[in-house]
Amino acid sequence: MFNFDFYNPTRIVFGNETISRLDELVPAAARILLLYGGQSARANGTLREVRDALGSREVQEFGGIEPNPSYETLIKAVDQVRTHRLDFLLAVGGGSVIDGTKFVAAAVGYEGDAWDILETRGASIRRALPFGTVLTLPATGSEMNNGGVVTRRATQDKLPFRSAYMFPQFSILDPTKTQTLPTRQLANGVVDAFVHVIEQYLTYPIDARVQDRFAEGLLQTLIEIGPLVLKESADYNTRANLMWTATLALNGLIGAGVPQDWSTHMIGHELTALYGIDHARTLAIVLPANLEIRREAKRAKLLQYAERVWQISQGDEEQRIDTAIQQTRMFFESLGLPTHLSAYKLGTDAIDALINQLDTHHLTALGEHKNVSLDVSRRVLEASL
Amino acid sequence: MFNFDFYNPTRIVFGNETISRLDELVPAAARILLLYGGQSARANGTLREVRDALGSREVQEFGGIEPNPSYETLIKAVDQVRTHRLDFLLAVGGGSVIDGTKFVAAAVGYEGDAWDILETRGASIRRALPFGTVLTLPATGSEMNNGGVVTRRATQDKLPFRSAYMFPQFSILDPTKTQTLPTRQLANGVVDAFVHVIEQYLTYPIDARVQDRFAEGLLQTLIEIGPLVLKESADYNTRANLMWTATLALNGLIGAGVPQDWSTHMIGHELTALYGIDHARTLAIVLPANLEIRREAKRAKLLQYAERVWQISQGDEEQRIDTAIQQTRMFFESLGLPTHLSAYKLGTDAIDALINQLDTHHLTALGEHKNVSLDVSRRVLEASL
């Protein structure tokens, strides 16, 4: 096991009828900016419920944070916070709204171009406004971690950022607040969480037994939940289990002390930036091909994955690995997520453009061994045609 | 799944060569009381290493915290902190030293008889001194939770306490610092962690899928580690896996949103208080009998435990449950922990005394259904003769 630090001070308030807890969780004198996405938060009453719980506190709103939140939009929220001297942010939404809120929290106190706080840009985040979240879409885990991803539309850059100051003070996880989500978004959430786990698990063995068991438990749970999300998605327990699983898939726990990959995410980000494909859908395209192309380096863990997660015991090693990758692909397809670029009418021209973007972003040595070069990424994309 | 809050702000610093991190973790101006147990912390050099890492900070020492730390001892540490106006506590040891340090942290600021902050005594803890820990004995999980247990020798009371203020600010988990531990204590640690998990898992099903999978993963890991602890206990990875497993067994995660039992612990505490049996050894005695006596109420979870943790698929339901309980008993015995009172030369007289103690402590409605009456506790103890 590698040495590690694990620190996660976000308070999770989980269950139905928990939005009223905002009154105890938000400081009484807070001057609040309420950030949200489209009009669904207003239409389904969640925004009203949040404002009611905040009582007589000063609350301003900032709506319109888009999926894959953009720098161009968020910088307006930064202006609003500065202009009105607001001092607490409250995100109501899914990963995009929460990621965007994190960016605003850090950018408000940053002097200079806030774009520079993104990971490959070099500036470090030294403080952030306090913020909390009300989660309405289980998937990204942003509600209990200190990272985010922001896109700059002008340049089609989609870049991550991370800071010790970026943990939500609290996150309210009320499964009933996901009731109006379409099945497509729930299915995306299942795949997003699944691939988050895979990126931290399917690398190489280092005798980190609990991390492996926890990762396998999350994967098994998602495999069980997948069909339920499609068939009985209104069931409280199904949504509750998806919500808590997705949170634990990316809160630092299963990644502590183990190697991590993340190449599927980095390649997928470019697919979203260039072609507007939903984040989870990019992962469904890239992961099976990535496992196929890099099966030698991942052999030991692929065999463990086959045995423990998919209960595959038949065949020789190559066959068991083939079956595991095939099961993974079929799981994504069964949830309605295509696993080939062709489903989006993308071909070899698109691959050239994607490789060019990876090069521009210096993403030329990805993966747990830092050996996923542009050439390897190209082969992964070709295998996903 | 039940509604729940999950909050755990303790920073874990895990791995070898991590004691030097104390310099960044402890405030530079801290006036420190260093609390420890017997002379082993001094003899094996850990105490020296800790003092070196603390540099020129003011450090006083308080040694001699015993296994099952006593109020009578700890109140002297409270006096020392008050007299010298110390403002930071650092525990170097296992669960007893850490539990004791938590009591001191809370008692220092409590006006009145500090014994009253224990759970059944009614006073609430409203503040505590900040403290950190250097863990030298994996078992209790106290390094990453907000509870403790203290014994009053005068009355043979062993009582728990808990408070939101009682999380360590940090805990350093360096597996190499357990190298001088005798096998007996490592084996105790395996069983202690195992029963911590069982108390939060083996109750009744409420469709909390991740909590179940995580609990099962911890149990499977402990079952794998058990023989390694006996055979190759000096191996770094074995100790690292035990350390992290024991921490996660009782940091609130697997217990969030699920029913909990804890009757084995409550009965076991009386065995320690009256007869001085090691905490983990009391659990090894009580648990198998407890599962046997309450098998009807626990039927569904016992079957799940048999299938997922012990891979038992043969026989009808009764046989599978019998086998699972028998495997549990054999696991404890294989680690050198007896599972019968007779191994300690205790008989029916002892049971009368133990039931009397439970009655005195108002522990008359234990378990996940609050229906473990004194009569049920008696039957459990009789089944463990």
Side-chain angles (χ1 to χ4, degrees):
Chain A
M1 203 186 303
F2 295 155
N3 283 8
F4 65 85
D5 275 27
F6 178 77
Y7 172 65
N8 192 321
T10 299
R11 179 184 299 275
I12 298 295
V13 177
F14 191 101
N16 56 8
E17 308 288 335
T18 45
I19 286 182
S20 61
R21 298 275 302 276
L22 281 169
D23 191 39
E24 82 192 62
L25 294 166
V26 177
R31 297 164 53 85
I32 302 161
L33 185 64
L34 197 60
L35 300 100
Y36 60 96
Q39 288 304 314
S40 69
R42 186 182 307 282
N44 66 27
T46 301
L47 219 51
R48 181 77 260 158
E49 199 176 338
V50 166
R51 293 201 66 139
D52 285 349
L54 292 170
S56 59
R57 291 173 181 82
E58 179 177 338
V59 179
Q60 295 194 16
E61 290 186 9
F62 184 89
I65 298 179
E66 57 276 77
N68 309 301
S70 75
Y71 170 82
E72 287 85 350
T73 297
L74 297 170
I75 207 72
K76 295 178 196 161
V78 172
D79 282 344
Q80 186 172 346
V81 170
R82 286 174 175 162
T83 303
H84 298 279
R85 299 181 180 280
L86 306 177
D87 58 16
F88 196 96
L89 307 181
L90 185 58
V92 179
S96 296
V97 173
I98 299 172
D99 281 11
T101 299
K102 289 176 177 177
F103 179 81
V104 174
V108 162
Y110 184 76
E111 295 165 14
D113 182 356
W115 185 247
D116 290 340
I117 64 178
L118 297 197
E119 212 157 89
T120 55
R121 304 278 305 172
S124 66
I125 298 166
R126 297 187 189 283
R127 56 188 161 161
L129 279 188
F131 66 99
T133 89
V134 176
L135 183 68
T136 61
L137 196 168
T140 74
S142 188
E143 65 277 8
M144 198 185 183
N145 66 38
N146 65 349
V149 182
V150 165
T151 298
R152 190 149 190 168
R153 298 220 176 283
T155 52
Q156 290 175 319
D157 292 328
K158 181 170 179 176
L159 296 178
F161 61 106
R162 183 172 299 279
S163 154
Y165 302 99
M166 217 66 96
F167 286 104
Q169 287 198 342
F170 62 82
S171 284
I172 293 180
L173 277 56
D174 180 345
T176 67
K177 297 308 155 197
T178 69
Q179 294 294 8
T180 55
L181 279 180
T183 302
R184 175 191 173 104
Q185 289 199 313
L186 291 175
N188 281 356
V190 170
V191 173
D192 197 3
F194 193 93
V195 182
H196 286 162
V197 179
I198 292 284
E199 298 270 30
Q200 301 166 85
Y201 164 72
L202 225 166
T203 57
Y204 55 90
I206 54 160
D207 201 358
R209 292 169 190 259
V210 176
Q211 291 91 326
D212 278 4
R213 291 286 184 189
F214 278 16
E216 289 152 1
L218 293 170
L219 295 172
Q220 288 171 294
T221 301
L222 290 164
I223 290 166
E224 290 171 6
I225 287 174
L228 300 179
V229 162
L230 298 185
K231 281 183 217 147
E232 35 181 301
S233 67
D235 179 63
Y236 178 83
N237 275 339
T238 297
R239 288 177 184 246
N241 277 304
L242 173 56
M243 210 168 207
W244 192 218
T245 301
T247 298
L248 293 172
L250 197 55
N251 79 336
L253 185 65
I254 62 167
V258 299
Q260 301 192 19
D261 185 341
W262 296 107
S263 62
T264 294
H265 269 71
M266 292 301 112
I267 298 170
H269 284 175
E270 306 302 351
L271 267 167
T272 299
L274 286 189
Y275 303 109
I277 301 173
D278 290 356
H279 172 60
R281 286 170 181 259
T282 71
L283 306 178
I285 295 165
V286 178
L287 181 69
N290 201 349
L291 297 180
E292 186 57 59
I293 295 298
R294 294 162 66 213
R295 65 193 281 155
E296 278 317 311
K298 290 179 181 290
R299 169 173 294 272
K301 268 314 202 30
L302 276 167
L303 288 166
Q304 181 178 325
Y305 171 65
E307 180 193 340
R308 292 191 185 174
V309 175
W310 293 106
Q311 283 80 51
I312 297 166
S313 56
Q314 300 294 311
D316 63 20
E317 289 196 353
E318 298 313 318
Q319 290 168 327
R320 299 206 298 277
I321 290 173
D322 283 342
T323 307
I325 295 173
Q326 185 58 18
Q327 294 269 34
T328 307
R329 190 183 288 282
M330 283 165 52
F331 178 58
F332 296 163
E333 295 272 1
S334 77
L335 290 166
L337 285 84
T339 60
H340 294 284
L341 284 168
S342 56
Y344 299 91
K345 303 198 181 358
L346 296 176
T348 48
D349 290 354
I351 294 177
D352 290 338
L354 291 161
I355 295 299
N356 190 47
Q357 281 287 96
L358 286 168
D359 196 12
T360 303
H361 294 143
H362 312 293
L363 299 171
T364 57
L366 302 172
E368 65 270 25
H369 296 294
K370 306 283 174 215
N371 63 357
V372 179
S373 61
L374 291 180
D375 180 56
V376 176
S377 290
R378 180 181 291 277
R379 285 194 285 134
V380 168
L381 285 163
E382 285 170 353
S384 66
L385 273 171
Chain B
M1 202 185 308
F2 296 156
N3 282 9
F4 65 86
D5 276 27
F6 178 76
Y7 173 65
N8 192 320
T10 298
R11 179 185 299 274
I12 297 295
V13 177
F14 191 101
N16 55 9
E17 309 288 337
T18 46
I19 286 182
S20 60
R21 298 275 304 276
L22 281 170
D23 191 39
E24 82 191 65
L25 295 165
V26 177
R31 298 163 52 85
I32 302 161
L33 185 64
L34 198 59
L35 300 100
Y36 59 97
Q39 287 306 312
S40 68
R42 187 181 305 283
N44 65 27
T46 302
L47 218 53
R48 182 74 262 158
E49 201 177 336
V50 166
R51 293 201 67 139
D52 286 349
L54 291 170
S56 59
R57 292 173 181 83
E58 179 177 340
V59 178
Q60 295 194 14
E61 290 187 7
F62 184 89
I65 298 179
E66 59 275 78
N68 309 301
S70 75
Y71 169 83
E72 287 84 350
T73 297
L74 297 170
I75 207 72
K76 293 178 197 162
V78 172
D79 281 345
Q80 186 172 344
V81 170
R82 286 175 175 161
T83 302
H84 299 278
R85 299 180 180 280
L86 306 177
D87 57 18
F88 195 95
L89 307 182
L90 185 58
V92 179
S96 296
V97 173
I98 299 172
D99 281 10
T101 299
K102 288 176 177 177
F103 180 81
V104 174
V108 162
Y110 184 75
E111 294 166 14
D113 182 357
W115 185 246
D116 290 339
I117 64 178
L118 296 196
E119 211 157 270
T120 55
R121 304 277 305 171
S124 65
I125 298 166
R126 297 187 189 281
R127 56 187 160 162
L129 279 189
F131 66 99
T133 89
V134 176
L135 184 67
T136 61
L137 197 167
T140 73
S142 188
E143 64 278 8
M144 200 186 182
N145 66 39
N146 65 350
V149 181
V150 165
T151 299
R152 191 151 191 165
R153 300 219 177 283
T155 51
Q156 291 174 318
D157 292 325
K158 181 170 179 177
L159 296 178
F161 60 106
R162 183 172 299 280
S163 154
Y165 302 99
M166 215 65 96
F167 286 103
Q169 288 198 341
F170 62 82
S171 283
I172 293 180
L173 277 57
D174 180 345
T176 67
K177 296 307 156 198
T178 68
Q179 294 296 6
T180 56
L181 279 180
T183 302
R184 175 191 172 106
Q185 289 199 313
L186 290 176
N188 280 355
V190 171
V191 173
D192 197 3
F194 193 94
V195 182
H196 286 162
V197 179
I198 292 284
E199 299 271 30
Q200 301 166 84
Y201 164 73
L202 226 166
T203 57
Y204 54 91
I206 53 158
D207 201 358
R209 292 169 189 259
V210 176
Q211 291 92 324
D212 278 4
R213 292 286 183 187
F214 278 16
E216 289 152 0
L218 293 170
L219 295 172
Q220 288 171 292
T221 301
L222 290 164
I223 290 167
E224 289 171 5
I225 287 174
L228 301 179
V229 163
L230 298 185
K231 281 182 218 150
E232 35 181 299
S233 66
D235 179 63
Y236 178 84
N237 275 338
T238 297
R239 288 177 184 244
N241 277 303
L242 174 55
M243 211 168 207
W244 193 218
T245 301
T247 298
L248 293 172
L250 196 56
N251 79 336
L253 185 65
I254 62 168
V258 299
Q260 302 192 19
D261 184 341
W262 297 106
S263 62
T264 293
H265 269 71
M266 293 300 112
I267 298 170
H269 283 174
E270 305 301 351
L271 266 166
T272 300
L274 286 188
Y275 304 109
I277 301 173
D278 290 356
H279 172 59
R281 287 169 181 259
T282 69
L283 306 177
I285 296 165
V286 177
L287 180 69
N290 201 349
L291 297 180
E292 186 58 58
I293 294 298
R294 293 163 64 212
R295 66 192 283 155
E296 279 315 313
K298 290 179 180 291
R299 168 173 294 270
K301 268 315 202 31
L302 276 167
L303 288 166
Q304 182 177 327
Y305 170 66
E307 179 193 341
R308 293 191 184 174
V309 176
W310 292 106
Q311 283 79 50
I312 297 166
S313 56
Q314 301 294 311
D316 64 20
E317 289 195 355
E318 298 313 317
Q319 290 167 327
R320 299 205 299 277
I321 291 172
D322 282 343
T323 307
I325 296 173
Q326 185 59 17
Q327 294 268 37
T328 307
R329 189 184 289 280
M330 283 165 51
F331 178 58
F332 297 163
E333 296 272 359
S334 76
L335 290 165
L337 284 85
T339 59
H340 293 284
L341 284 168
S342 55
Y344 299 91
K345 303 198 182 353
L346 296 175
T348 48
D349 290 354
I351 293 177
D352 290 339
L354 291 162
I355 294 298
N356 189 47
Q357 281 287 97
L358 285 168
D359 197 11
T360 303
H361 294 143
H362 312 294
L363 299 171
T364 56
L366 301 172
E368 63 270 26
H369 296 293
K370 306 283 172 216
N371 64 357
V372 178
S373 62
L374 291 181
D375 179 56
V376 176
S377 290
R378 180 181 292 278
R379 284 193 287 134
V380 168
L381 285 163
E382 285 170 352
S384 66
L385 273 171

PDB file of all heavy atoms in Angstrom, chain B residues 105-120:
ATOM      1  N   ALA B 105      -9.533  15.377  27.220  1.00  0.00           N
ATOM      2  CA  ALA B 105      -9.835  16.550  26.388  1.00  0.00           C
ATOM      3  C   ALA B 105     -11.181  17.164  26.764  1.00  0.00           C
ATOM      4  O   ALA B 105     -11.330  18.387  26.799  1.00  0.00           O
ATOM      5  CB  ALA B 105      -9.821  16.157  24.909  1.00  0.00           C
ATOM      6  N   ALA B 106     -12.151  16.290  27.034  1.00  0.00           N
ATOM      7  CA  ALA B 106     -13.483  16.799  27.383  1.00  0.00           C
ATOM      8  C   ALA B 106     -13.570  17.213  28.839  1.00  0.00           C
ATOM      9  O   ALA B 106     -14.251  18.197  29.183  1.00  0.00           O
ATOM     10  CB  ALA B 106     -14.532  15.728  27.091  1.00  0.00           C
ATOM     11  N   ALA B 107     -12.870  16.486  29.711  1.00  0.00           N
ATOM     12  CA  ALA B 107     -12.994  16.735  31.151  1.00  0.00           C
ATOM     13  C   ALA B 107     -12.340  18.048  31.556  1.00  0.00           C
ATOM     14  O   ALA B 107     -12.805  18.708  32.498  1.00  0.00           O
ATOM     15  CB  ALA B 107     -12.375  15.569  31.942  1.00  0.00           C
ATOM     16  N   VAL B 108     -11.286  18.443  30.855  1.00  0.00           N
ATOM     17  CA  VAL B 108     -10.552  19.657  31.235  1.00  0.00           C
ATOM     18  C   VAL B 108     -11.473  20.871  31.289  1.00  0.00           C
ATOM     19  O   VAL B 108     -11.381  21.696  32.202  1.00  0.00           O
ATOM     20  CB  VAL B 108      -9.373  19.914  30.259  1.00  0.00           C
ATOM     21  CG1 VAL B 108      -8.873  21.339  30.347  1.00  0.00           C
ATOM     22  CG2 VAL B 108      -8.236  18.939  30.537  1.00  0.00           C
ATOM     23  N   GLY B 109     -12.374  20.965  30.324  1.00  0.00           N
ATOM     24  CA  GLY B 109     -13.248  22.134  30.269  1.00  0.00           C
ATOM     25  C   GLY B 109     -14.584  21.929  30.950  1.00  0.00           C
ATOM     26  O   GLY B 109     -15.455  22.800  30.875  1.00  0.00           O
ATOM     27  N   TYR B 110     -14.764  20.791  31.603  1.00  0.00           N
ATOM     28  CA  TYR B 110     -16.055  20.507  32.226  1.00  0.00           C
ATOM     29  C   TYR B 110     -16.030  20.895  33.705  1.00  0.00           C
ATOM     30  O   TYR B 110     -15.169  20.446  34.453  1.00  0.00           O
ATOM     31  CB  TYR B 110     -16.404  19.021  32.087  1.00  0.00           C
ATOM     32  CG  TYR B 110     -17.771  18.692  32.630  1.00  0.00           C
ATOM     33  CD1 TYR B 110     -18.924  19.033  31.926  1.00  0.00           C
ATOM     34  CD2 TYR B 110     -17.916  18.068  33.876  1.00  0.00           C
ATOM     35  CE1 TYR B 110     -20.183  18.760  32.423  1.00  0.00           C
ATOM     36  CE2 TYR B 110     -19.167  17.781  34.374  1.00  0.00           C
ATOM     37  CZ  TYR B 110     -20.297  18.134  33.650  1.00  0.00           C
ATOM     38  OH  TYR B 110     -21.543  17.863  34.160  1.00  0.00           O
ATOM     39  N   GLU B 111     -16.958  21.721  34.089  1.00  0.00           N
ATOM     40  CA  GLU B 111     -17.036  22.105  35.499  1.00  0.00           C
ATOM     41  C   GLU B 111     -17.947  21.129  36.220  1.00  0.00           C
ATOM     42  O   GLU B 111     -19.060  20.888  35.799  1.00  0.00           O
ATOM     43  CB  GLU B 111     -17.580  23.532  35.616  1.00  0.00           C
ATOM     44  CG  GLU B 111     -16.620  24.554  35.017  1.00  0.00           C
ATOM     45  CD  GLU B 111     -17.280  25.913  34.822  1.00  0.00           C
ATOM     46  OE1 GLU B 111     -18.371  26.133  35.386  1.00  0.00           O
ATOM     47  OE2 GLU B 111     -16.710  26.728  34.082  1.00  0.00           O
ATOM     48  N   GLY B 112     -17.481  20.608  37.293  1.00  0.00           N
ATOM     49  CA  GLY B 112     -18.250  19.588  38.000  1.00  0.00           C
ATOM     50  C   GLY B 112     -17.541  18.251  37.876  1.00  0.00           C
ATOM     51  O   GLY B 112     -16.428  18.162  37.356  1.00  0.00           O
ATOM     52  N   ASP B 113     -18.190  17.197  38.361  1.00  0.00           N
ATOM     53  CA  ASP B 113     -17.587  15.865  38.358  1.00  0.00           C
ATOM     54  C   ASP B 113     -17.512  15.341  36.931  1.00  0.00           C
ATOM     55  O   ASP B 113     -18.539  15.097  36.296  1.00  0.00           O
ATOM     56  CB  ASP B 113     -18.435  14.926  39.225  1.00  0.00           C
ATOM     57  CG  ASP B 113     -17.821  13.529  39.294  1.00  0.00           C
ATOM     58  OD1 ASP B 113     -16.782  13.277  38.632  1.00  0.00           O
ATOM     59  OD2 ASP B 113     -18.380  12.689  40.018  1.00  0.00           O
ATOM     60  N   ALA B 114     -16.288  15.153  36.416  1.00  0.00           N
ATOM     61  CA  ALA B 114     -16.108  14.764  35.020  1.00  0.00           C
ATOM     62  C   ALA B 114     -16.719  13.400  34.721  1.00  0.00           C
ATOM     63  O   ALA B 114     -16.988  13.081  33.567  1.00  0.00           O
ATOM     64  CB  ALA B 114     -14.623  14.777  34.648  1.00  0.00           C
ATOM     65  N   TRP B 115     -16.922  12.587  35.717  1.00  0.00           N
ATOM     66  CA  TRP B 115     -17.552  11.278  35.490  1.00  0.00           C
ATOM     67  C   TRP B 115     -18.933  11.433  34.848  1.00  0.00           C
ATOM     68  O   TRP B 115     -19.410  10.560  34.127  1.00  0.00           O
ATOM     69  CB  TRP B 115     -17.652  10.527  36.832  1.00  0.00           C
ATOM     70  CG  TRP B 115     -18.188   9.121  36.706  1.00  0.00           C
ATOM     71  CD1 TRP B 115     -19.357   8.644  37.202  1.00  0.00           C
ATOM     72  CD2 TRP B 115     -17.560   8.011  36.037  1.00  0.00           C
ATOM     73  NE1 TRP B 115     -19.509   7.316  36.893  1.00  0.00           N
ATOM     74  CE2 TRP B 115     -18.414   6.901  36.175  1.00  0.00           C
ATOM     75  CE3 TRP B 115     -16.355   7.861  35.327  1.00  0.00           C
ATOM     76  CZ2 TRP B 115     -18.116   5.647  35.637  1.00  0.00           C
ATOM     77  CZ3 TRP B 115     -16.065   6.617  34.790  1.00  0.00           C
ATOM     78  CH2 TRP B 115     -16.936   5.530  34.944  1.00  0.00           C
ATOM     79  N   ASP B 116     -19.540  12.586  35.086  1.00  0.00           N
ATOM     80  CA  ASP B 116     -20.900  12.804  34.578  1.00  0.00           C
ATOM     81  C   ASP B 116     -20.976  12.973  33.073  1.00  0.00           C
ATOM     82  O   ASP B 116     -22.066  12.966  32.499  1.00  0.00           O
ATOM     83  CB  ASP B 116     -21.525  14.037  35.249  1.00  0.00           C
ATOM     84  CG  ASP B 116     -21.833  13.765  36.711  1.00  0.00           C
ATOM     85  OD1 ASP B 116     -21.942  12.569  37.083  1.00  0.00           O
ATOM     86  OD2 ASP B 116     -21.940  14.733  37.485  1.00  0.00           O
ATOM     87  N   ILE B 117     -19.831  13.139  32.382  1.00  0.00           N
ATOM     88  CA  ILE B 117     -19.906  13.252  30.923  1.00  0.00           C
ATOM     89  C   ILE B 117     -20.074  11.878  30.260  1.00  0.00           C
ATOM     90  O   ILE B 117     -20.302  11.800  29.057  1.00  0.00           O
ATOM     91  CB  ILE B 117     -18.669  13.970  30.304  1.00  0.00           C
ATOM     92  CG1 ILE B 117     -17.389  13.176  30.540  1.00  0.00           C
ATOM     93  CG2 ILE B 117     -18.546  15.391  30.853  1.00  0.00           C
ATOM     94  CD1 ILE B 117     -16.151  13.826  29.911  1.00  0.00           C
ATOM     95  N   LEU B 118     -19.976  10.811  31.037  1.00  0.00           N
ATOM     96  CA  LEU B 118     -20.176   9.485  30.436  1.00  0.00           C
ATOM     97  C   LEU B 118     -21.651   9.301  30.085  1.00  0.00           C
ATOM     98  O   LEU B 118     -22.535   9.919  30.662  1.00  0.00           O
ATOM     99  CB  LEU B 118     -19.675   8.392  31.371  1.00  0.00           C
ATOM    100  CG  LEU B 118     -18.161   8.462  31.616  1.00  0.00           C
ATOM    101  CD1 LEU B 118     -17.645   7.175  32.199  1.00  0.00           C
ATOM    102  CD2 LEU B 118     -17.384   8.800  30.352  1.00  0.00           C
ATOM    103  N   GLU B 119     -21.891   8.414  29.126  1.00  0.00           N
ATOM    104  CA  GLU B 119     -23.142   8.435  28.377  1.00  0.00           C
ATOM    105  C   GLU B 119     -24.384   8.298  29.243  1.00  0.00           C
ATOM    106  O   GLU B 119     -25.361   9.024  29.050  1.00  0.00           O
ATOM    107  CB  GLU B 119     -23.121   7.331  27.316  1.00  0.00           C
ATOM    108  CG  GLU B 119     -23.919   7.687  26.081  1.00  0.00           C
ATOM    109  CD  GLU B 119     -23.444   6.876  24.885  1.00  0.00           C
ATOM    110  OE1 GLU B 119     -22.538   7.346  24.198  1.00  0.00           O
ATOM    111  OE2 GLU B 119     -23.968   5.783  24.645  1.00  0.00           O
ATOM    112  N   THR B 120     -24.378   7.390  30.157  1.00  0.00           N
ATOM    113  CA  THR B 120     -25.598   7.186  30.941  1.00  0.00           C
ATOM    114  C   THR B 120     -25.697   8.143  32.115  1.00  0.00           C
ATOM    115  O   THR B 120     -26.642   8.072  32.897  1.00  0.00           O
ATOM    116  CB  THR B 120     -25.656   5.738  31.486  1.00  0.00           C
ATOM    117  OG1 THR B 120     -24.437   5.502  32.215  1.00  0.00           O
ATOM    118  CG2 THR B 120     -25.791   4.741  30.367  1.00  0.00           C
TER     119      THR B 120
END
